[in-house]
Amino acid sequence: MLLRLVAEVAGEKVAAANAAEKTKVLKRIVRYHLDGAEGRQKVERWVPRWLGFPASAYTHRGGNDAIGVRDGAESAQAPEPDPDTATAPLQHAA
């Protein structure tokens, strides 16, 4: 997942070139790009996907409860009634 962060912040080429590096190096690459340090172009207003809106994941398995809750809530919503076939409110009460 850290390589996905590097790819987002520094680009796919940088991530591919550093794929075999240790976590410490990858974290430093991300930090340098976010800060604009060591001659790198500064990345403004970046947030990880799980903190964005709407939240998303870096992997197929997810791992973010907010994504599952959002997807579950969307599927649990009642469908909109068809205005052509819907009965008027209190029509059956009389």
Side-chain angles (χ1 to χ4, degrees), residues 4-93:
R4 297 308 319 142
L5 292 175
V6 172
E8 251 185 48
V9 173
E12 291 290 338
K13 286 184 179 182
V14 174
N18 291 286
E21 294 295 334
K22 295 184 182 221
T23 299
K24 183 178 180 179
V25 173
L26 297 175
K27 289 167 78 174
R28 187 179 312 138
I29 291 169
V30 171
R31 175 53 45 206
Y32 283 173
H33 277 84
L34 292 176
D35 293 342
E38 301 289 326
R40 289 160 175 90
Q41 184 176 356
K42 186 173 183 173
V43 177
E44 299 283 344
R45 301 176 53 105
W46 176 84
V47 295
R49 290 181 186 176
W50 64 85
L51 292 178
F53 184 80
S56 63
Y58 287 96
T59 64
H60 295 291
R61 69 170 182 84
N64 186 339
D65 290 338
I67 296 168
V69 170
R70 180 195 69 210
D71 293 343
E74 288 174 357
S75 65
Q77 290 178 348
E80 292 291 323
D82 183 10
D84 295 333
T85 60
T87 58
L90 303 176
Q91 180 180 4
H92 299 291

